Structures are given as C-alpha cells and as structure tokens.
Amino acid sequence: MTVTFTFLDWLWVALFLILMLGSGILFYRLGKRSESDFFLAGRDLPWWLPASSVYATHTATDTPMWITGVIYKNGMAGIWYTFFCGWAAISAFVSTRIFRRSLAYTQAEWNVVRFTGLGSELLRGWMAGWQFFMNMFVLGWVGIAMGRICEYLFAWPTWIGLIVFSLVCAVYVLAAGYWGVVMADFQQGVIAFLVIIIVSAWGIHTAGGPTGIIEKLDVMGQLDRINPFAFTGWWSGDFPIAWFITMMLIAFLGGFGMGTTIDWYVEAQRIQSAKTVRDASYSIWWGTILGLIRNSVWAVAILAFFVLFPNITEQSEYEMGWFRLGFDYLPAGMLGFFFAAILAIHLSTISSHLNLGALYATRDLYQHYVNPQASQKRLVQVGRISTAILLLGSFFYGLIMEDITSWLIFALWIMAAGIWLPNILQVVWWRFNAWGYLSSWIANLGFSWLVVWILPELNLIPNLLDYQQFWILMILGALVYFPVTLLTKSESMDHLVHYYVMSRPIGWWGPVREEAIRRGLILVNGDLVAGAEQASRPSDTFPTVE
Amino acid sequence: MIRKTWSAHEADEWTKEDWIAIVLSPLCYVLITIGAALTILLQVSGYIMLILGIGLTIYMHLVIDPKLKAISNEYEKKQQTYLEELEAKVRWKPINQKPS
C-alpha cells in the first residue's frame, strides 16, 4: 500500500518536528552545564518525568509490529510475551532502590561500586564497550523498523526512513543531552498514548465494536482468542504452560537483580535522574504499567484487525496490522497526525539510546580510562561526539539488518538466559564476586551462540523452544560461575561493608551486616550494639580506593 | 494497619511493608493488564480483575509510600558525600571521607 498525504497531513508532521527541535533549543543551556546535566538532568527530576521517559522509550516503532505479531498469531494469550517488562514490578521496590542509592551513572559504573580490584575494572570496561555497541545495535533495528514503515507507506527506499528522522532526533540530543531527551519524551509519550488509544478505538469500532469482534470470532470458531489463558497443554504446542511459568519467573523474579533484561540499562539512567529514591521507584513502576496498559489496548485492536483480515499467513504482512488500522481507516487529515505519532514513538526510542550509549562512552570509557581529569566542558563535548558516532554506526547496523524479529529475540536471550541468575546473585548474595560475574558473561556469550544457533544448525541438537533454551543456558552457565566464585576470593570486607551501608541490599548479606554492626555503622533498634566500635576511624568506614 | 512513621534506621531495614509491595506489585501488573484488555472487550471477568488491580495498587502505595519517603529523606542527607566518593573513584583518587 502507499498513502497519499494532503497539506494538512504534512502540516501535522512539520509541527511535531518543530516541537521536538524546540526541546533541544529550550534546554540547550541546561544540558551543557555538566556531565551530570548532559546525562542525568542534574539528578533532579520528579518521578513522572522519568516515568514518561520509561514509557516513551519502550514504545518504539518495532513495538506495535512485534506485539501485533504475537497477538495475531496467538490471540490474547500472546499478551504474556509482553510481560518481559514485568521485572519492573519487583525492581521498583528492590533493585531500583538499591541502584539509586549507589548513585552510579551506569550499570558499568555500578560494578566498581559493588566489586573491587581488577575484576571490577574488567567488568566496567567490558560492560561499557558492550553497551556502547548494544545501543548502536538497538538504534539500528529501531531505525530500520522506521525505514520499513516509510517504505510501506510512501514506497520510499528503506534508508530514507532509517536516516532522515534519526538525524532530526540527533539535533536535540546533541544540543541538550538528557534534558532534551526527557522533555521530548514527555511530549512524545503523551502524543503516542493518545494516538494509540484513538487508532485502536477506531479499529475496534470498524470491526464492529467489542461485541462485534466476539461474535465474529465465535462464527470463525476462534473464540479462544480472547482467552489469555488459552494454553496448548503443559509441555506441547505453541503455547505450553511450562513456557508461561518460565516467562513469568524470568520476568518478575528478575526484579530482584540488575540487568536481568536489556531494558534495565535504559531504566538505570532514568533511576539515577530521579531526584530521590522514592521518585526513582515510582518512575519505574508507573512508566512500566503505562506500557502494559498500552499493550492491553493494542491487543484488543489486533483482535479487531484479525477479524477484519483473518487469513494473513505472512508474518511480515500481519506484523503491520496495527499500522494498517490507522492508515486504512482514519479519515483524511488525520493520517498526518497518526504519522506524527509514529514519529513520536520512533524519536523517543532513538533519543534515549543515543544519549545512553554516549553516557557509557563518556563516563565509563573516556573519563575513567582515557582522561580522568577531564573538565565538565570537555566531558559534555565528548558526550556529543559519542552521540554522533553512535548515530553513524546505527545507520550501518540498520542497513545490514533484515529480519528484525529473530535478531531481537536472540539479543533478548543473550541478555536474559545465562546471566539472568548472576544478575540477581550480584545484588542478593555478598559472596558473589567480580570473577564469578565476569565468568558468567563469558560463558553465556559462548553458550548462547552454541545452543541457539550453531548446534541446531549442525543438527547436533534439535531446535529448542525458547523456554527450553533458557533453562539449558542457565544450567550451563551455573556450571561455570559457581565454581569460579567459590574458588576465588570474596571482595574485601572493607569494601563490602562500605557498599552495604550505602546501598542496604536485600538478601544474603549476613556476615557483611554483622561486620557493619560491629563497626558501629548500622544501628540495631536505634542503638549501637554492645561492644560496637564507634564509626570514627576513616580507614575502617571508608577504605582507600586501591 | 498501615504504618505512617518511620525512623531512619527502621526505614533502612527490609520489613514486611517491602514484602507486601514485592508480592502485590506483580499481581497488580497482571490484574491491570489482563483486566484492561478484557474490560475493553466488555467481559465481566475483566471488570473484576481491573477493579481488583486498581484496589491493590492503591493499597500497595499506601503501605510502601511512608517508608519510601523516610528512606529518601534519610538518604538525601548522605548523598553529597557518596557523590564525592563516586567522583573520586571515576578519577582514580583515594577516598577517605567520613560519613556525614
């Protein structure tokens, strides 16, 4: 299909782009004040701003395609796929609080707050480099999704949609840094949410309303599609209960850890930009629930699309279902508004990943390893240069990426499977050390490729279902990182006590807590315990960095 | 009963209020998400789930909010010192401050 825009349609698009560019101009002076301003908005945001950024960032151009794919294929039961963000439910009250108290700019920096010595530095360097390229990769796949949409709508070559709008976005990210990102995200979040509701409601109405959809599904013998619990048995079929349990377990219990899904790294920046621990918790909780409610609306709209077009077999075709509801059925003059909302969805994701990737490059690589004495002005400059490099790299990635879904799922598994448990252990278990964590990453990289791609390709193992891959990768990883942890020294008690007093982590921290009490750094029932040392010796309480 | 006042050291400990939030929060997510979808489809089960989800969300916030405020207030007093340490660490400088 191709869409023809009227003058009014292009006016909507132009007004939206002017509004976004305005964010860059308005907040230029705030963004350039310091590294903290350019990357964390001075750590002074009320909860609803980072919450809107959480929501807007995770409403990307590929999100409606992906959700449409799973709902069209599986019916309402497919909504459980979208619960991979459920980690935020527990995280908001556990790991978010712990991470906010560490004050680390990034998850890479958190490694040197939690661990010590060479292992912690290796982790920081590795994670920073990996995140820099991971953000470039995300920018590429989100960008190419926009390219596909523009190709679908206007028959433009893919590269135009990939490059043009990312360039516009880069203007306000380069100018105002995170200030520009978060202020634009707020506007984009509002616009996107409204339009998602309008287009979905329009599609549902077109399909005959809620009653009409159910009647048509009944006639088609597909009434099970409105049942979110329509599983295909315990172990068999496309939608077994075993998969469901695995999915919920990964999603929710992951909230005890940090980095249990790829989204954590984006959220970590929002957590640190919140002005208090309480604001950080609410920003994660409310930003995520808003995304889940959005998924509910989308799910029903996709059921509407299904009853309108029930026989599509090509995944690439039915993945465009939600966009078709808008472009096929909205009245003239509203198409531009819809496209502006798609741009809002796109720009919010692009801007966040541009600034986040630049944060890792600036804080963890440049400042820590290249120029530790850099001035604030210099750090902001490096932030801008890194943003530009990310942008150019994302164009390269985008142009070589063809199958969005398989890359996305593989990237999520890389993140989730073998390091899921280590990501929790690093938060809840005092004995887990830098070498254990580092070994889990190395092992997971190897095992993921083997289990997901190489061994099935060589017919050495069958193609496994994703929940089966998860458990296998988890067990294989554990066979490496548990021995490594227990065969290497724990972190120094001085460092652990310092970390414990600052972050107050949950879990198995008994020996560290006892030591902190003994040193008089933690009160028990409001008092020092008998025999506790007064916290007056700096060498005990705040050890020198080695 | 909902506890309204917290001392600094009490708020820093993990208590039953945290566990109430930890247990209820995923439940709220599920009930609101599935409840909202089924409500749009005019299903009675959707209305029930959505109302339950909203009710639990309000209760969870009433339980955890006083504690989060106390944690935040206490932590803000120490934040500047911790930030200075973080800056020293990124610049490879020794840390020898005392807690505020």
Side-chain angles (χ1 to χ4, degrees):
Chain A
M1 69 173 286
T2 52
V3 172
T4 307
F5 270 22
T6 62
F7 173 75
L8 185 60
D9 292 317
W10 286 117
L11 186 67
W12 281 118
V13 176
L15 286 174
F16 172 75
L17 291 177
I18 291 168
L19 186 69
M20 292 305 106
L21 291 174
S23 298
I25 297 163
L26 275 174
F27 294 96
Y28 169 72
R29 286 183 181 281
L30 288 179
K32 72 172 186 175
R33 288 190 305 194
S34 65
E35 182 185 38
S36 168
D37 277 290
F38 195 78
F39 290 117
L40 296 177
R43 298 180 187 268
D44 202 28
L45 298 178
W47 68 269
W48 50 272
L49 270 173
S52 65
S53 185
V54 166
Y55 166 74
T57 299
H58 298 304
T59 310
T61 29
D62 65 329
T63 317
M65 293 157 74
W66 182 68
I67 292 177
T68 302
V70 294
I71 300 289
Y72 190 93
K73 186 179 173 192
N74 305 296
M76 190 63 82
I79 203 166
W80 296 113
Y81 274 106
T82 72
F83 270 85
F84 71 83
C85 64
W87 62 270
I90 291 176
S91 171
F93 305 109
V94 180
S95 56
T96 292
R97 188 194 301 179
I98 296 165
F99 184 73
R100 175 60 178 74
R101 292 177 67 131
S102 78
L103 297 171
Y105 272 67
T106 64
Q107 188 60 29
E109 184 163 42
W110 186 81
N111 286 303
V112 299
V113 177
R114 166 67 177 83
F115 305 118
T116 49
L118 177 63
S120 70
E121 293 297 339
L122 286 173
L123 275 169
R124 182 178 195 164
W126 146 250
M127 195 173 283
W130 170 76
Q131 268 298 305
F132 183 74
F133 284 103
M134 193 67 195
N135 277 287
M136 202 181 273
F137 178 71
V138 173
L139 287 163
W141 95 45
V142 174
I144 203 64
M146 190 66 198
R148 278 178 57 187
I149 290 166
C150 290
E151 184 184 18
Y152 179 75
L153 294 176
F154 309 117
W156 293 350
T158 316
W159 66 266
I160 294 182
L162 168 70
I163 291 175
V164 170
F165 300 110
S166 294
L167 279 174
V168 173
C169 181
V171 172
Y172 68 81
V173 181
L174 283 165
Y178 186 73
W179 276 109
V181 172
V182 81
M183 292 303 172
D185 272 0
F186 178 69
Q187 301 167 60
Q188 289 157 358
V190 172
I191 293 169
F193 197 77
L194 281 176
V195 170
I196 286 168
I197 288 176
I198 291 169
V199 172
S200 300
W202 207 279
I204 292 166
H205 172 73
T206 306
T211 318
I213 293 171
I214 290 170
E215 283 171 3
K216 285 170 187 163
L217 285 172
D218 196 15
V219 170
M220 294 157 72
Q222 298 271 355
L223 203 53
D224 245 13
R225 283 184 170 265
I226 66 164
N227 179 7
F229 301 100
F231 299 114
T232 53
W234 274 97
W235 307 101
S236 56
D238 286 344
F239 233 68
I241 294 171
W243 170 88
F244 172 73
I245 292 171
T246 304
M247 181 73 199
M248 292 297 106
L249 200 72
I250 301 168
F252 289 121
L253 294 184
F256 283 102
M258 296 176 187
T260 49
T261 77
I262 192 171
D263 292 347
W264 166 265
Y265 297 87
V266 182
E267 260 60 301
Q269 190 183 19
R270 273 111 200 104
I271 290 167
Q272 293 300 359
S273 70
K275 67 180 173 184
T276 67
V277 174
R278 176 175 175 266
D279 287 280
S281 289
Y282 288 161
S283 69
I284 295 304
W285 201 90
W286 283 100
T288 304
I289 190 67
L290 206 56
L292 285 168
I293 293 169
R294 170 208 66 197
N295 296 346
S296 303
V297 177
W298 262 336
V300 181
I302 301 318
L303 288 180
F305 177 75
F306 179 81
V307 301
L308 290 168
F309 304 96
N311 299 317
I312 306 173
T313 51
E314 278 295 315
Q315 183 179 336
S316 59
E317 195 181 340
Y318 65 68
E319 273 186 346
M320 301 302 284
W322 184 75
F323 291 110
R324 281 190 64 181
L325 286 179
F327 287 110
D328 285 2
Y329 297 110
L330 282 179
M334 283 297 286
L335 293 183
F337 188 66
F338 183 40
F339 187 66
I342 294 171
L343 284 182
I345 288 171
H346 179 61
L347 266 53
S348 59
T349 308
I350 294 289
S351 62
S352 291
H353 287 283
L354 278 175
N355 188 251
L356 181 63
L359 169 59
Y360 280 94
T362 306
R363 176 78 180 179
D364 293 303
L365 296 177
Y366 178 78
Q367 186 178 9
H368 191 54
Y369 295 118
V370 178
N371 185 2
Q373 308 310 322
S375 66
Q376 292 298 313
K377 187 179 175 186
R378 179 68 185 150
L379 291 171
V380 172
Q381 279 176 351
V382 173
R384 287 181 172 142
I385 293 166
S386 307
T387 305
I389 293 171
L390 273 159
L391 183 72
L392 295 174
S394 74
F395 295 157
F396 169 74
Y397 266 127
L399 290 171
I400 61 171
M401 215 177 281
E402 288 183 357
D403 187 345
I404 289 171
T405 308
S406 63
W407 275 103
L408 176 62
I409 289 172
F410 180 62
L412 291 174
W413 277 123
I414 282 268
M415 284 305 306
I419 53 162
W420 181 82
L421 190 55
N423 279 329
I424 296 174
L425 290 175
Q426 65 176 341
V427 176
V428 303
W429 186 30
W430 74 278
R431 183 61 181 78
F432 198 58
N433 63 14
W435 297 111
Y437 189 47
L438 192 61
S439 68
S440 74
W441 272 95
I442 296 166
N444 185 54
L445 279 175
F447 289 143
S448 296
W449 284 99
L450 278 175
V451 172
V452 179
W453 295 105
I454 296 172
L455 295 181
E457 193 67 28
L458 296 173
N459 291 321
L460 293 173
I461 60 170
N463 279 310
L464 300 168
L465 296 174
D466 46 12
Y467 77 91
Q468 293 168 330
Q469 289 170 358
F470 177 85
W471 290 113
I472 289 172
L473 288 171
M474 193 156 117
I475 292 165
L476 288 174
L479 292 174
V480 174
Y481 61 75
F482 272 118
V484 169
T485 301
L486 295 172
L487 291 170
T488 49
K489 284 183 181 175
S490 65
E491 306 300 340
S492 78
M493 188 52 81
D494 278 349
H495 185 85
L496 289 172
V497 166
H498 181 223
Y499 168 75
Y500 183 83
V501 172
M502 174 172 65
S503 296
R504 299 306 291 267
I506 198 169
W508 294 275
W509 286 82
V512 182
R513 179 180 167 82
E514 282 168 21
E515 182 62 18
I517 291 171
R518 191 190 69 75
R519 295 183 186 189
L521 295 168
I522 290 179
L523 306 179
V524 177
N525 297 324
D527 289 312
L528 290 172
V529 295
E533 296 172 12
Q534 293 293 325
S536 57
R537 292 188 303 161
S539 60
D540 266 4
T541 56
F542 291 90
T544 299
V545 174
E546 293 155 15
Chain B
M1 290 297 98
I2 293 168
R3 185 172 174 182
K4 298 279 185 191
T5 54
W6 293 85
S7 69
H9 76 273
E10 286 169 338
D12 270 347
E13 301 293 335
W14 293 92
T15 63
K16 74 171 190 300
E17 285 75 10
D18 297 301
W19 286 102
I20 289 171
I22 288 167
V23 172
L24 290 187
S25 181
L27 201 56
C28 295
Y29 271 19
V30 170
L31 288 170
I32 290 175
T33 306
I34 305 298
L38 294 179
T39 295
I40 300 170
L41 287 167
L42 307 178
Q43 301 294 297
V44 175
S45 58
Y47 304 146
I48 295 168
M49 281 196 248
L50 188 59
I51 290 168
L52 204 58
I54 292 170
L56 284 178
T57 300
I58 293 168
Y59 174 70
M60 181 186 74
H61 278 72
L62 288 173
V63 168
I64 200 68
D65 192 60
K67 188 173 185 193
L68 285 178
K69 278 182 182 161
I71 293 170
S72 297
N73 291 339
E74 176 60 18
Y75 186 76
E76 297 311 297
K77 295 174 193 166
K78 303 171 189 165
Q79 179 161 310
Q80 192 51 41
T81 306
Y82 289 139
L83 272 175
E84 285 165 12
E85 287 174 34
L86 196 70
E87 288 309 308
K89 202 170 263 186
V90 77
R91 294 173 193 277
W92 304 88
K93 289 179 178 171
I95 299 169
N96 54 13
Q97 293 98 329
K98 287 170 64 177
S100 55

